[in-house]
Amino acid sequence: MTASALSATPADKIQIGISACLMGHEVRFDGGHKRSRFCTDVLSDYFDYVPLCPEVAIGMGTPRQPIRLVSDDNKGVVDDSTEVFARGTRDETLDVSDDLRHYGRTQGQQQQQLCGYIFMQKSPSCGLFGVKRYLSNGMPEGTTRGLYAAEFCQQQPLLPVEEAGRLNDPGLRENFLVRVFTYSDWQQFSAQGYNAKGLIEFHARYKYLVMAHSQSHYKSLGRLLADLSGKDITAVGQEYFSQLMQALAKPASRKMHTNTLMHLQGYLKNRLSSDDKQELTDVIHQYHKAVVPLIVPLTLLKHHLKHHKEVNQYAWQQVYLNPYPYELGLRNDI
């Protein structure tokens, strides 16, 4: 698969889990929703959503009594190991902790076709980051992860996950989508079965995307694939995918992007005129100084690589150039 083949068409949309309220479903405790127009109006061109509301799924009605996360502080000490319960805000005899955890565990085991998940922020069931946690006396005590989300993610630790609210941040949005399309690409690749040659070819396309996200993984993945003779290729592939997703979970910095652009520029050093080389160098430096967005040096780089792709196939096939559909326009903002 070439980098350009990563663009999804209606026939091959990627399956993504999503909190049902973000799709406009009226499943909130107050009977409302939290529709995300970015999810429903933009990403829906590429994603086939699987809407899930754990609170409705475990039998809580709509509307319903809201719940909050309460720490077990009977021992007088609250730390990261303290058990957390999901209890009613008006009636603490309502305890749905076990139900939410069980549903998260079950869905995490069953929804293996997903290539990503978008959760509702601040939710005691679905929140990924900074969900408020309270003491038994009602005082706020800290933050944690929603009970359903925590169990789901534990079942699928490599699955790209993000909160809808954080998708408003251009860098986090781009990073999430890079991981989703990579995850989908790997699922398609591994489903066909692969050998050592295929694994090396897969990594060859991802080499510079990894470079832009994590130098340490760039080196460790190179060592992992350096000599595959006599090795269990399935086991190597599993380790490769684990490291790949860990690498991409690290957001690419402006410095790392600049380094990657300069490496790819090197494939053109004997192909461009001195004026073209200087122009490309200047634009990369302008990006490094935050004068222009990433799309500017990338567009110029891709223009030259395309013109000389017959002698630069290795560089032209790099997923880094098109990690997701160009039409999303995400690199206009970073």
Side-chain angles (χ1 to χ4, degrees), residues 33 39 139 147 153 159 181 229 242 252 267 281 321 334:
H33 63 80
C39 294
M139 294 295 293
L147 297 192
C153 294
L159 186 73
F181 280 90
S229 57
S242 176
Y267 288 92
T281 298
L321 301 175
I334 59 174

Side-chain angles (χ1 to χ4, degrees), residues 265-303:
Q265 180 188 26
Y267 288 92
L268 296 164
K269 63 181 180 180
N270 297 321
R271 301 292 171 182
L272 301 183
S273 67
S274 57
D275 287 346
D276 284 342
K277 281 192 285 188
Q278 188 60 52
E279 179 188 30
L280 183 54
T281 298
D282 290 345
V283 170
I284 292 174
H285 287 164
Q286 287 170 9
Y287 165 71
H288 186 244
K289 295 177 181 178
V291 176
V292 297
L294 180 59
I295 192 65
V296 176
L298 264 178
T299 299
L300 186 57
L301 178 63
K302 286 193 287 185
H303 165 75

Side-chain angles (χ1 to χ4, degrees), residues 54-55 67-69 84 86 97 100-101 104 119-132 143-154 163:
E55 294 179 24
I67 57 174
R68 66 182 178 187
L69 300 182
V84 177
S97 312
L100 286 175
R101 289 192 174 102
F119 290 92
M120 178 61 203
Q121 67 271 15
K122 300 181 181 180
S123 165
S125 56
C126 292
L128 286 175
F129 310 104
V131 180
K132 288 185 178 180
T143 61
T144 187
R145 176 168 283 190
L147 297 192
Y148 163 78
E151 288 292 336
F152 190 102
C153 294
Q154 187 172 348
E163 289 184 339

Side-chain angles (χ1 to χ4, degrees), residues 1 3 97 141 149 246 263 274 287:
M1 182 185 295
S97 312
E141 175 269 319
Q246 291 174 40
H263 272 81
S274 57
Y287 165 71

Side-chain angles (χ1 to χ4, degrees), residues 158-160 179 182-184 186-187 194 199 202 221 224 235-247:
L158 298 179
L159 186 73
R179 290 183 288 139
T182 298
Y183 197 99
S184 175
W186 174 264
Q187 296 299 84
Y194 56 85
L199 187 57
F202 183 93
L221 286 172
L224 178 66
V236 173
Q238 292 172 346
E239 175 62 22
Y240 172 83
F241 180 56
S242 176
Q243 288 198 37
L244 176 64
M245 297 311 297
Q246 291 174 40

